[in-house]
Amino acid sequence: MLALLRLLKTFVRAARLPTLDPHATCVTRWRVLPGDIDAFGHMNNGRYQSLMDIARIDFLLRCDLFRGVVRNRWVAPVGQAHIHYRRSLKPFERFELHTRIVHWDERWFYFQHEFYRSSDPGRPVCTAYVTTLFMGRKGVVGTDEVVPALAGRPLAPPPLGPDVRAIFRLDAAA
């Protein structure tokens, strides 16, 4: 229920904010609520992933890409998630989630998510890298079709950084 309320808040909020460039970082602001807490008194690790899902939807909304997803009846399942937790988020603590696309190839989009305490915006408490792709009725839709359909124009992917290359073992796959 909490995730649904946060998703609804995201749709309402995105409609009031200016459109972002798809290469920009999308920032969402949250508070650790009682339903986010696990038995150890900090935000549950599964909640991080739920919020990353909502942040990717916010990214699509803010970049004016979500309508294209709905129009084409695409879904965007996650392929991989690599998460590095550094510190805990405590009950009622405010935090920001920064989301951006760091690269895409012919099949996958590579997202970076960074969680920052509002009281310490210089050091992430958690960094995650997630791959996602788009699927339609006939299966996987290549990024060469997705990007122009959503952005309304061809876009070049951000350059592939060594950190993303190492995390997803992209050199080994080549």
Side-chain angles (χ1 to χ4, degrees), residues 24-27 55-56 59 97-101 111-114:
T25 298
C26 183
V27 178
R56 285 190 302 278
F59 180 88
L97 174 49
H98 296 217
T99 301
R100 66 186 183 101
I101 291 181
F111 280 87
Q112 179 188 51
H113 296 282
E114 290 187 301

Side-chain angles (χ1 to χ4, degrees), residues 80-82 100-105 108-114 127-132 157-173:
Q80 295 182 54
H82 296 266
R100 66 186 183 101
I101 291 181
V102 293
H103 187 65
W104 64 80
D105 58 25
W108 296 101
F109 290 89
Y110 300 83
F111 280 87
Q112 179 188 51
H113 296 282
E114 290 187 301
T127 300
Y129 291 91
V130 174
T131 61
T132 187
L160 182 59
D163 51 344
V164 176
R165 188 180 296 279
I167 287 169
F168 291 107
R169 297 184 189 106
L170 295 176
D171 291 330

Side-chain angles (χ1 to χ4, degrees), residues 34 54 81 115 125 146-148 170 174:
I54 294 171
F115 292 77
V125 296
V146 171
V147 172
L170 295 176

